[in-house]
Amino acid sequence: MEFNTKLLHGKAVKPYDEGATIPPIAQVTAFAYPSAEDQEKVFTHKAAGFAYSRIGNPTVAAFEQRMNELEGGNACIACSSGMSAVTLALMNILCAGDEIIAGAGLYGGTIDLFEDLTKFGIKTHFVKHVTPEEIEPFVNEHTRVIYGELIGNPGLAIMDVPSVAAYAHSKGLPLIVDATTTTPYVANPLKLGADVVVHSTSKYLNGGGNSVSGVIVDGAKFKWDFDRFQALAGYKKFGILAYTIRLRTDIWENFGACLSPMNAFMNIVGLETLGLRMERITSNAKKLAEALSRIEGVTVNYPTLSTSPYHELAERELRGLGGGILTFRVGSKEKAFRILDSLTYVTRASNLGDVRTLALHPQSTLYNRSSREMQEAAGVYADTIRVSVGIEDIDDLIWDFENAIKNA
């Protein structure tokens, strides 16, 4: 199937009760069983079924299955937020004394998370670009994972996943990729060589800005060294499935980062139009970036522009698509604020991936806890404006930004 057909008719789209075309909302806490023996089998993972909505729910499972099919994974675990997905994807394989190598051009909340992990004895080495050349000096006997975003938010650096994955695997390390900004419409990191993919599904996958959630998708191809990855040692008998089994039955369950059935339902509704939305969003983003780049005094960052150092990589790895985010610099923080305040159709909000075009000043919001060095490594400056492009008519968006810049 092609992408849009798969969204509606894929293997994960199953017959639902009473002929419903989407799964019902199982808004319950617990599930009844005909006998104590049946209940015991489910609680001990010896039979399929649902015991308690914190550890499994039919509506959430339906969403997980659809996401897993779209990413081409072995298993998907849905979480209460994108940040919980990032946290558990890492904590599933880390112990005190372990180290992470990560790209510096990350979402501000992820950078804050790595700072929090230092209190648990887990150290992060940041590299400006996630490339084998920049990673190599930091690999040592304590390194356990390489982490980065496929398209950095908001710096828009693109990771060359095949080369980074090949290098990581040569060192016996897994590669975890945050693909929030691309979605499966633009690229499948697992097919490019990554081992685990995470998404903040609050963004493009949901599309309506109405539900906070995240997912972890395991490709289940990485061969774990259980002497090295002590966190997985108790799951050695599961081999390449050890990551999924521990995540599902241990750390995810115990941390309680479960997704609500209602939010899972809203994600399924949004997911069915993902292809159409991303087609419009990526087209709008490219046209808006081109229009802004023609304005004197404005410097635009967007991957498919000929001025971007990632232009060729976007063509090769992302089907020539640059995603739905662009940033531009205007000379000063004061001017950036005046532009933001002059916008008519664009909403000043901190989310991204909405059907509406959203804009904000990242330095004073998402990165207000980061050092100046970390801000600049992420592509954030005092005069930077980040735009999450929506599905409005492009002529109206171009007019809105041109008018705001003129008024500023």
Side-chain angles (χ1 to χ4, degrees), residues 266-341:
M266 296 305 294
N267 288 342
I268 291 170
V269 172
L271 199 61
E272 292 189 337
T273 61
L274 175 63
L276 297 178
R277 288 185 286 105
M278 289 303 294
E279 181 179 2
R280 178 60 171 259
I281 285 170
T282 54
S283 173
N284 275 358
K286 181 178 181 180
K287 292 175 182 177
L288 180 60
E290 291 171 344
L292 291 175
S293 67
R294 292 191 289 268
I295 300 175
E296 186 176 354
V298 174
T299 303
V300 183
N301 180 19
Y302 187 69
T304 63
L305 292 178
S306 59
T307 53
S308 170
Y310 299 99
H311 175 77
E312 292 184 4
L313 193 54
E315 291 290 333
R316 184 170 72 249
E317 191 168 283
L318 307 180
R319 302 194 299 116
L321 302 173
I325 302 172
L326 64 89
T327 64
F328 63 99
R329 299 181 63 184
V330 294
S332 69
K333 176 181 177 180
E334 292 74 22
K335 187 173 182 180
F337 273 36
R338 290 199 301 270
I339 291 170
L340 288 167
D341 292 344

Coordinates of all heavy atoms in Angstrom, one line a residue, residues 266-341:
M266 N -7.9 10.3 20.1 CA -7.7 11.5 19.4 C -6.5 11.4 18.4 O -6.6 12.0 17.3 CB -7.5 12.7 20.3 CG -8.8 13.0 21.2 SD -10.3 13.3 20.3 CE -9.8 14.8 19.4
N267 N -5.5 10.7 18.8 CA -4.3 10.5 18.0 C -4.7 9.6 16.8 O -4.2 9.9 15.6 CB -3.2 9.8 18.8 CG -2.6 10.7 19.7 OD1 -2.7 11.9 19.7 ND2 -1.8 10.2 20.7
I268 N -5.5 8.6 17.0 CA -6.0 7.8 15.8 C -6.7 8.6 14.8 O -6.5 8.5 13.6 CB -6.8 6.6 16.3 CG1 -5.9 5.6 17.1 CG2 -7.5 5.9 15.2 CD1 -6.7 4.5 17.9
V269 N -7.6 9.4 15.3 CA -8.4 10.3 14.4 C -7.5 11.2 13.6 O -7.6 11.4 12.4 CB -9.4 11.2 15.3 CG1 -10.1 12.2 14.4 CG2 -10.5 10.3 15.9
G270 N -6.5 11.8 14.3 CA -5.6 12.7 13.6 C -4.7 12.0 12.7 O -4.4 12.5 11.6
L271 N -4.3 10.8 13.0 CA -3.3 10.0 12.3 C -3.9 9.7 10.9 O -3.1 9.6 9.9 CB -3.0 8.7 13.0 CG -1.7 7.9 12.6 CD1 -0.5 8.8 12.8 CD2 -1.6 6.7 13.4
E272 N -5.2 9.5 10.7 CA -5.7 9.1 9.4 C -5.6 10.2 8.4 O -5.7 9.9 7.2 CB -7.2 8.7 9.7 CG -7.3 7.5 10.5 CD -8.8 6.9 10.5 OE1 -9.7 7.7 10.3 OE2 -8.9 5.7 10.8
T273 N -5.3 11.4 8.7 CA -5.1 12.5 7.7 C -3.6 12.9 7.7 O -3.3 14.0 7.1 CB -6.0 13.7 8.0 OG1 -5.7 14.2 9.3 CG2 -7.5 13.3 8.0
L274 N -2.7 12.2 8.3 CA -1.3 12.6 8.4 C -0.7 12.9 7.0 O -0.1 13.9 6.9 CB -0.5 11.5 9.1 CG 1.0 11.8 9.2 CD1 1.3 13.0 10.0 CD2 1.7 10.5 9.8
G275 N -0.9 12.0 6.1 CA -0.3 12.2 4.8 C -0.8 13.4 4.1 O 0.0 14.2 3.5
L276 N -2.1 13.7 4.1 CA -2.6 14.9 3.5 C -2.1 16.2 4.1 O -1.7 17.1 3.5 CB -4.1 14.9 3.5 CG -4.8 13.7 2.8 CD1 -6.3 13.8 2.9 CD2 -4.5 13.8 1.3
R277 N -2.0 16.1 5.5 CA -1.6 17.3 6.2 C -0.1 17.5 5.9 O 0.3 18.7 5.7 CB -1.8 17.1 7.7 CG -3.3 17.3 8.1 CD -3.5 17.2 9.6 NE -3.3 15.9 10.2 CZ -2.3 15.5 10.9 NH1 -1.2 16.3 11.1 NH2 -2.2 14.3 11.4
M278 N 0.7 16.5 6.0 CA 2.2 16.7 5.8 C 2.5 17.1 4.4 O 3.4 17.9 4.1 CB 2.9 15.4 6.1 CG 2.9 15.1 7.6 SD 3.7 16.4 8.6 CE 5.3 16.4 8.0
E279 N 1.7 16.6 3.4 CA 1.9 17.1 2.0 C 1.7 18.6 1.9 O 2.5 19.3 1.3 CB 0.9 16.3 1.1 CG 1.1 16.7 -0.4 CD 0.1 16.0 -1.3 OE1 -0.7 15.2 -0.7 OE2 0.2 16.2 -2.5
R280 N 0.6 19.1 2.5 CA 0.4 20.5 2.5 C 1.4 21.3 3.4 O 1.9 22.4 2.9 CB -1.1 20.8 3.0 CG -1.5 22.2 3.1 CD -1.5 22.9 1.7 NE -2.1 24.2 1.7 CZ -3.3 24.5 1.3 NH1 -4.1 23.5 0.8 NH2 -3.8 25.7 1.4
I281 N 1.7 20.8 4.5 CA 2.6 21.5 5.4 C 4.0 21.6 4.9 O 4.6 22.7 4.9 CB 2.6 20.8 6.8 CG1 1.3 21.0 7.6 CG2 3.8 21.2 7.6 CD1 1.2 20.1 8.8
T282 N 4.5 20.6 4.3 CA 5.9 20.6 3.7 C 5.9 21.5 2.5 O 6.9 22.3 2.3 CB 6.4 19.2 3.4 OG1 5.5 18.6 2.5 CG2 6.6 18.4 4.6
S283 N 4.8 21.5 1.7 CA 4.8 22.4 0.6 C 4.7 23.9 1.0 O 5.4 24.7 0.5 CB 3.5 22.1 -0.3 OG 3.4 23.0 -1.3
N284 N 3.9 24.2 2.0 CA 3.7 25.5 2.5 C 5.1 26.0 3.1 O 5.5 27.1 2.9 CB 2.7 25.6 3.6 CG 1.3 25.8 3.0 OD1 1.1 25.9 1.8 ND2 0.3 25.8 3.9
A285 N 5.7 25.1 3.9 CA 7.0 25.5 4.6 C 8.0 25.9 3.5 O 8.7 26.9 3.7 CB 7.5 24.4 5.4
K286 N 8.1 25.1 2.5 CA 9.1 25.4 1.4 C 8.8 26.8 0.8 O 9.7 27.6 0.6 CB 9.2 24.3 0.4 CG 10.2 24.5 -0.7 CD 10.2 23.4 -1.7 CE 11.3 23.6 -2.7 NZ 11.3 22.5 -3.7
K287 N 7.6 27.0 0.4 CA 7.2 28.2 -0.3 C 7.4 29.4 0.7 O 7.8 30.5 0.2 CB 5.8 28.1 -0.8 CG 5.6 27.1 -1.9 CD 4.1 27.0 -2.3 CE 4.0 26.0 -3.4 NZ 2.5 25.8 -3.8
L288 N 7.0 29.3 1.9 CA 7.2 30.4 2.9 C 8.7 30.7 3.1 O 9.1 31.9 3.1 CB 6.5 30.0 4.2 CG 6.6 31.1 5.3 CD1 6.0 32.4 4.8 CD2 6.0 30.6 6.6
A289 N 9.5 29.6 3.2 CA 11.0 29.8 3.4 C 11.5 30.6 2.2 O 12.4 31.5 2.3 CB 11.6 28.5 3.5
E290 N 11.1 30.2 1.0 CA 11.6 30.9 -0.2 C 11.2 32.3 -0.3 O 12.0 33.2 -0.6 CB 11.1 30.1 -1.5 CG 11.7 28.8 -1.6 CD 11.1 27.9 -2.7 OE1 9.9 28.3 -3.2 OE2 11.7 26.9 -3.1
A291 N 9.9 32.6 0.2 CA 9.5 34.0 0.2 C 10.2 34.8 1.2 O 10.6 36.0 0.9 CB 8.0 34.0 0.4
L292 N 10.4 34.3 2.4 CA 11.1 35.1 3.4 C 12.6 35.3 3.0 O 13.1 36.4 3.4 CB 11.0 34.3 4.7 CG 9.6 34.3 5.4 CD1 9.7 33.4 6.7 CD2 9.1 35.7 5.7
S293 N 13.2 34.3 2.3 CA 14.6 34.5 2.0 C 14.8 35.6 1.0 O 16.0 36.1 0.8 CB 15.1 33.2 1.4 OG 14.5 32.9 0.2
R294 N 13.8 36.1 0.3 CA 13.9 37.2 -0.6 C 13.8 38.6 0.0 O 13.9 39.6 -0.6 CB 12.8 37.1 -1.7 CG 13.1 35.9 -2.6 CD 12.2 35.9 -3.9 NE 10.8 35.6 -3.5 CZ 10.2 34.4 -3.6 NH1 10.9 33.4 -3.9 NH2 8.9 34.3 -3.3
I295 N 13.5 38.6 1.4 CA 13.3 39.9 2.1 C 14.7 40.3 2.6 O 15.4 39.6 3.3 CB 12.3 39.7 3.2 CG1 10.9 39.3 2.7 CG2 12.2 41.0 4.0 CD1 9.9 39.0 3.7
E296 N 15.0 41.5 2.3 CA 16.3 42.1 2.8 C 16.3 42.1 4.3 O 15.4 42.5 5.0 CB 16.5 43.5 2.2 CG 17.9 44.1 2.5 CD 18.1 45.4 1.9 OE1 17.2 45.8 1.1 OE2 19.1 46.1 2.2
G297 N 17.4 41.7 4.9 CA 17.6 41.8 6.4 C 17.1 40.6 7.1 O 17.1 40.5 8.3
V298 N 16.6 39.6 6.3 CA 16.0 38.3 6.9 C 16.9 37.2 6.5 O 17.1 37.0 5.3 CB 14.6 38.1 6.5 CG1 14.1 36.8 7.0 CG2 13.7 39.2 7.0
T299 N 17.3 36.4 7.4 CA 18.1 35.2 7.1 C 17.3 33.9 7.5 O 16.9 33.8 8.7 CB 19.4 35.2 8.0 OG1 20.2 36.4 7.7 CG2 20.3 34.0 7.6
V300 N 17.1 33.1 6.5 CA 16.2 32.0 6.7 C 16.9 30.7 6.7 O 17.9 30.4 6.0 CB 15.1 31.9 5.5 CG1 14.2 30.8 5.7 CG2 14.4 33.2 5.4
N301 N 16.5 29.8 7.6 CA 17.0 28.4 7.8 C 15.9 27.4 7.5 O 14.9 27.3 8.2 CB 17.6 28.2 9.2 CG 18.2 26.8 9.4 OD1 18.5 26.1 8.4 ND2 18.3 26.4 10.6
Y302 N 16.1 26.7 6.3 CA 15.2 25.6 6.0 C 15.9 24.6 5.1 O 16.7 25.0 4.2 CB 14.0 26.2 5.2 CG 12.9 25.1 4.9 CD1 12.1 24.6 6.0 CD2 12.7 24.6 3.6 CE1 11.2 23.7 5.7 CE2 11.7 23.7 3.4 CZ 11.0 23.2 4.5 OH 10.0 22.2 4.2
P303 N 15.8 23.3 5.4 CA 16.7 22.3 4.8 C 16.7 22.2 3.3 O 17.8 21.9 2.7 CB 16.2 21.0 5.4 CG 15.6 21.4 6.7 CD 15.0 22.7 6.5
T304 N 15.6 22.5 2.6 CA 15.6 22.4 1.2 C 16.1 23.6 0.4 O 16.2 23.6 -0.8 CB 14.3 21.9 0.6 OG1 13.3 23.0 0.9 CG2 13.8 20.6 1.3
L305 N 16.3 24.7 1.1 CA 16.9 25.9 0.4 C 18.3 25.6 -0.1 O 19.1 24.8 0.6 CB 16.9 27.1 1.4 CG 15.6 27.7 1.8 CD1 15.8 28.8 2.8 CD2 14.8 28.1 0.6
S306 N 18.7 26.1 -1.2 CA 20.0 25.9 -1.7 C 21.1 26.4 -0.8 O 22.2 26.0 -0.9 CB 20.1 26.5 -3.1 OG 19.9 27.9 -3.0
T307 N 20.8 27.3 0.1 CA 21.7 27.9 1.0 C 22.0 27.0 2.2 O 22.9 27.3 3.0 CB 21.3 29.3 1.5 OG1 19.9 29.2 2.0 CG2 21.3 30.3 0.4
S308 N 21.1 26.0 2.4 CA 21.2 25.1 3.6 C 22.4 24.1 3.4 O 22.4 23.5 2.3 CB 19.9 24.4 3.8 OG 20.1 23.4 4.8
P309 N 23.2 23.9 4.4 CA 24.3 22.8 4.2 C 23.7 21.4 4.2 O 24.4 20.5 3.9 CB 25.1 23.0 5.5 CG 24.2 23.7 6.4 CD 23.3 24.6 5.6
Y310 N 22.4 21.3 4.5 CA 21.7 20.0 4.5 C 20.9 19.7 3.3 O 20.1 18.8 3.2 CB 20.9 19.8 5.8 CG 21.7 20.0 7.0 CD1 21.8 21.2 7.7 CD2 22.5 18.9 7.5 CE1 22.6 21.3 8.8 CE2 23.3 19.0 8.6 CZ 23.4 20.2 9.3 OH 24.2 20.4 10.4
H311 N 21.0 20.6 2.3 CA 20.2 20.5 1.1 C 20.3 19.1 0.4 O 19.3 18.5 0.1 CB 20.6 21.6 0.1 CG 19.8 21.5 -1.2 ND1 18.5 21.9 -1.4 CD2 20.2 21.1 -2.4 CE1 18.2 21.8 -2.6 NE2 19.2 21.2 -3.3
E312 N 21.5 18.7 0.2 CA 21.7 17.4 -0.5 C 21.2 16.2 0.4 O 20.7 15.2 -0.1 CB 23.2 17.2 -0.9 CG 23.6 18.2 -2.0 CD 25.1 17.9 -2.4 OE1 25.6 16.9 -1.9 OE2 25.6 18.7 -3.2
L313 N 21.5 16.3 1.7 CA 21.0 15.2 2.6 C 19.5 15.1 2.6 O 18.9 14.0 2.7 CB 21.6 15.5 4.0 CG 21.5 14.3 5.0 CD1 22.2 13.0 4.4 CD2 22.2 14.7 6.3
A314 N 18.8 16.3 2.6 CA 17.4 16.3 2.5 C 16.9 15.6 1.3 O 15.9 14.8 1.3 CB 16.8 17.7 2.6
E315 N 17.5 15.8 0.2 CA 17.1 15.2 -1.1 C 17.3 13.7 -1.0 O 16.5 12.9 -1.4 CB 18.0 15.7 -2.2 CG 17.6 17.2 -2.6 CD 16.3 17.3 -3.2 OE1 15.8 16.4 -3.9 OE2 15.7 18.4 -3.1
R316 N 18.4 13.3 -0.4 CA 18.8 11.8 -0.4 C 18.0 11.0 0.7 O 17.6 9.9 0.5 CB 20.3 11.7 -0.1 CG 20.8 10.3 -0.2 CD 22.3 10.2 -0.2 NE 22.9 10.5 1.1 CZ 23.6 11.6 1.3 NH1 23.8 12.5 0.4 NH2 24.1 11.9 2.5
E317 N 17.8 11.6 1.9 CA 17.3 10.9 3.0 C 15.8 11.2 3.3 O 15.1 10.3 3.9 CB 18.2 11.3 4.2 CG 17.9 10.4 5.5 CD 19.0 10.6 6.5 OE1 20.1 10.1 6.3 OE2 18.7 11.3 7.5
L318 N 15.4 12.4 2.9 CA 14.0 12.8 3.3 C 13.1 13.0 2.1 O 12.1 13.8 2.2 CB 14.1 14.1 4.2 CG 15.0 14.1 5.4 CD1 15.0 15.4 6.1 CD2 14.7 13.0 6.3
R319 N 13.4 12.4 1.0 CA 12.5 12.4 -0.2 C 12.4 13.9 -0.7 O 11.4 14.2 -1.3 CB 11.2 11.9 0.1 CG 11.1 10.4 0.5 CD 9.8 9.8 0.5 NE 8.8 10.5 1.3 CZ 7.7 11.1 0.8 NH1 7.5 11.1 -0.5 NH2 6.8 11.6 1.7
G320 N 13.4 14.7 -0.4 CA 13.4 16.0 -0.9 C 12.5 17.0 -0.1 O 12.3 18.1 -0.5
L321 N 12.1 16.5 1.0 CA 11.2 17.3 1.9 C 11.9 17.9 3.1 O 12.8 17.2 3.6 CB 10.0 16.4 2.4 CG 9.2 15.7 1.3 CD1 8.2 14.8 2.0 CD2 8.4 16.8 0.5
G322 N 11.6 19.1 3.4 CA 12.3 19.7 4.5 C 11.6 19.8 5.8 O 12.1 20.4 6.8
G323 N 10.4 19.1 5.9 CA 9.6 19.2 7.1 C 8.8 20.4 7.2 O 8.7 21.2 6.3
G324 N 8.2 20.6 8.4 CA 7.2 21.7 8.6 C 7.7 22.9 9.4 O 6.9 23.8 9.7
I325 N 9.0 22.9 9.8 CA 9.6 23.9 10.6 C 10.6 24.8 9.8 O 11.4 24.2 9.1 CB 10.3 23.4 11.8 CG1 9.3 22.5 12.7 CG2 10.8 24.5 12.7 CD1 10.0 21.7 13.8
L326 N 10.5 26.1 10.0 CA 11.6 26.9 9.5 C 11.9 27.9 10.6 O 11.1 28.2 11.5 CB 11.2 27.6 8.2 CG 10.0 28.6 8.2 CD1 10.5 30.0 8.5 CD2 9.3 28.5 6.9
T327 N 13.1 28.5 10.5 CA 13.5 29.6 11.4 C 14.0 30.7 10.6 O 14.5 30.5 9.5 CB 14.5 29.2 12.5 OG1 15.8 28.8 11.8 CG2 14.1 28.0 13.3
F328 N 13.9 31.9 11.2 CA 14.6 33.0 10.5 C 15.0 34.1 11.5 O 14.5 34.2 12.6 CB 13.6 33.7 9.4 CG 12.4 34.3 9.9 CD1 12.3 35.7 10.1 CD2 11.2 33.5 10.1 CE1 11.1 36.3 10.6 CE2 10.0 34.1 10.6 CZ 10.0 35.5 10.8
R329 N 16.1 34.8 11.2 CA 16.7 35.8 12.0 C 16.5 37.1 11.5 O 16.5 37.3 10.2 CB 18.2 35.5 12.2 CG 18.5 34.1 12.9 CD 20.0 33.9 13.0 NE 20.5 34.9 14.0 CZ 21.8 35.0 14.3 NH1 22.7 34.1 13.7 NH2 22.3 35.9 15.1
V330 N 16.2 38.1 12.4 CA 15.8 39.4 11.9 C 16.7 40.6 12.5 O 16.4 41.7 12.2 CB 14.3 39.7 12.3 CG1 13.4 38.7 11.5 CG2 14.1 39.6 13.8
G331 N 17.7 40.3 13.2 CA 18.6 41.3 13.7 C 18.6 41.7 15.1 O 19.7 42.0 15.7
S332 N 17.5 41.5 15.8 CA 17.5 41.8 17.2 C 16.3 41.1 17.9 O 15.3 40.8 17.2 CB 17.4 43.3 17.5 OG 16.1 43.8 17.1
K333 N 16.3 40.9 19.2 CA 15.2 40.3 19.9 C 14.0 41.3 19.9 O 12.9 40.8 19.7 CB 15.6 40.1 21.4 CG 14.5 39.6 22.3 CD 15.0 39.4 23.7 CE 13.9 39.0 24.6 NZ 14.3 38.8 26.0
E334 N 14.3 42.6 20.0 CA 13.2 43.5 20.0 C 12.4 43.5 18.6 O 11.2 43.5 18.6 CB 13.7 45.0 20.2 CG 14.3 45.2 21.6 CD 15.7 44.5 21.8 OE1 16.3 44.2 20.8 OE2 16.0 44.3 23.0
K335 N 13.1 43.4 17.5 CA 12.5 43.3 16.2 C 11.7 42.0 16.1 O 10.6 41.9 15.6 CB 13.5 43.4 15.1 CG 12.8 43.5 13.7 CD 13.8 43.8 12.6 CE 13.1 43.9 11.3 NZ 14.1 44.3 10.2
A336 N 12.3 40.9 16.6 CA 11.6 39.6 16.6 C 10.3 39.7 17.3 O 9.3 39.1 16.9 CB 12.5 38.5 17.2
F337 N 10.3 40.3 18.5 CA 9.0 40.5 19.3 C 8.0 41.3 18.5 O 6.8 41.0 18.5 CB 9.3 41.1 20.6 CG 9.7 40.1 21.7 CD1 10.5 38.9 21.4 CD2 9.3 40.3 23.0 CE1 10.8 38.0 22.4 CE2 9.7 39.3 24.0 CZ 10.4 38.2 23.7
R338 N 8.5 42.4 17.9 CA 7.6 43.2 17.1 C 6.9 42.5 16.0 O 5.7 42.6 15.7 CB 8.3 44.5 16.6 CG 8.7 45.5 17.7 CD 9.0 46.9 17.1 NE 10.0 46.8 16.1 CZ 11.3 47.0 16.4 NH1 11.7 47.2 17.7 NH2 12.2 47.0 15.5
I339 N 7.7 41.6 15.3 CA 7.2 40.8 14.2 C 6.1 39.8 14.7 O 5.0 39.7 14.2 CB 8.3 40.1 13.5 CG1 9.2 41.0 12.7 CG2 7.7 39.0 12.5 CD1 10.5 40.4 12.2
L340 N 6.5 39.1 15.8 CA 5.5 38.2 16.4 C 4.2 38.9 16.8 O 3.1 38.3 16.6 CB 6.2 37.5 17.6 CG 7.3 36.5 17.3 CD1 8.0 36.1 18.5 CD2 6.6 35.2 16.6
D341 N 4.3 40.0 17.4 CA 3.1 40.8 17.8 C 2.3 41.3 16.7 O 1.2 41.7 16.9 CB 3.5 41.9 18.8 CG 4.1 41.4 20.1 OD1 3.9 40.2 20.4 OD2 4.7 42.2 20.8

